[in-house]
Amino acid sequence: MRSLVTGVAGFIGSNLAERLIGEGHEVIGVDCFTDYYARSVKEKNIKGLLKERKFTFFEADISCVNLGEFLTGVDYVFHQAAQAGVRSSWGAEFDVYTSNNVLATQRLLEACKGLEMKRFIYASSSSVYGDSKELPLREQSFLKPVSPYGVTKLAGEHLCYSYWKNFAVPVISLRYFTVYGPRQRPDMAFHKFINAVLNNENIEIYGDGEQSRDFTFISDAIEGNMLAMKSDAAGEVFNIGGGFRVSVNEVLENIQEISGKVAQIVYRDVQKGDVRHTLADTSKAKECLGYTPKIDLNTGLTEHWKCLKGS
């Protein structure tokens, strides 16, 4: 089996590549090392992969290179590459998001036309739902993203569906709900919270802390990809969530219990593009893919804490 993983040096991409190799896949990894966060972090993510005989790495921007060499003989495509960040997607930076999230997705789908691949799995986001009052969020819910980032991820979903409908590219879109765990991006909340506690620094919370999220541990997100890869579904969208909704304040209480330290919390104004609550209805993923999240928040946070404390 031969798989292509875009964004392979990222949080989810690197974990996914390791899982694929562990299951016997030959993996081609592509990453362009965008400057959204330090290149050194991404290089560390793939340090182990580069020693694997079945791993081949290319540093390339998929929006502007010949994709043929990456796709030769590929059975599965896992399109994890994207410009991340809700709060950074406003203003002049939007052209980076359109290039990395929309154009790159269209070019990859175009290159997959007519190829005999088994599955094309697109990493989408719960951001496509926006600030919905309907909880839990279902795949058929009305989509109204409230950030440019969310708009570009939804555009990617629509492109995937269009290429399935018109060219039979066997796409599946997975809507991730706040994935966390070892290797989480340094700009993401849990990484920042734990580091702040470790270093006795302030934790800035945007809003009153009662906003809540459906948090998904990294191994559950990876399992969602593996199940999608093995399924017969095509042209479908699935929520990949953790199965529970917890407020930010509750997360902070949990981190303090795990660490045995008191967090220094500072509350700030709500940021534009942030949503109040998320909660995934994963019943469709359970029925069609066999997906059931296994890691509870305390277990996941403990693993995240151990990883950052030891780094």
Side-chain angles (χ1 to χ4, degrees), residues 34 59 148 180 201 273 304:
T34 61
E59 182 174 348
Y180 72 101
E201 297 171 348
H304 202 157

Side-chain angles (χ1 to χ4, degrees), residues 158 199 250:
H158 288 321
N199 297 308
E250 289 175 280

Side-chain angles (χ1 to χ4, degrees), residues 251-275:
V251 169
L252 292 170
E253 290 174 7
N254 211 319
I255 291 173
Q256 291 175 95
E257 289 178 9
I258 292 167
S259 66
K261 302 177 73 172
V262 177
Q264 303 171 36
I265 304 169
V266 179
Y267 292 93
R268 306 292 190 194
D269 291 338
V270 176
Q271 298 287 291
K272 294 186 184 303
D274 285 356
V275 302

Side-chain angles (χ1 to χ4, degrees), residues 93-124:
E93 292 297 308
F94 185 60
D95 61 342
V96 178
Y97 285 80
T98 56
S99 177
N100 290 346
N101 298 0
V102 182
L103 178 60
T105 300
Q106 186 274 334
R107 292 208 65 239
L108 185 56
L109 287 162
E110 186 71 19
C112 290
K113 284 184 349 186
L115 300 182
E116 294 184 3
M117 66 176 53
K118 296 176 181 176
R119 203 68 62 224
F120 181 113
I121 298 169
Y122 170 69
S124 188

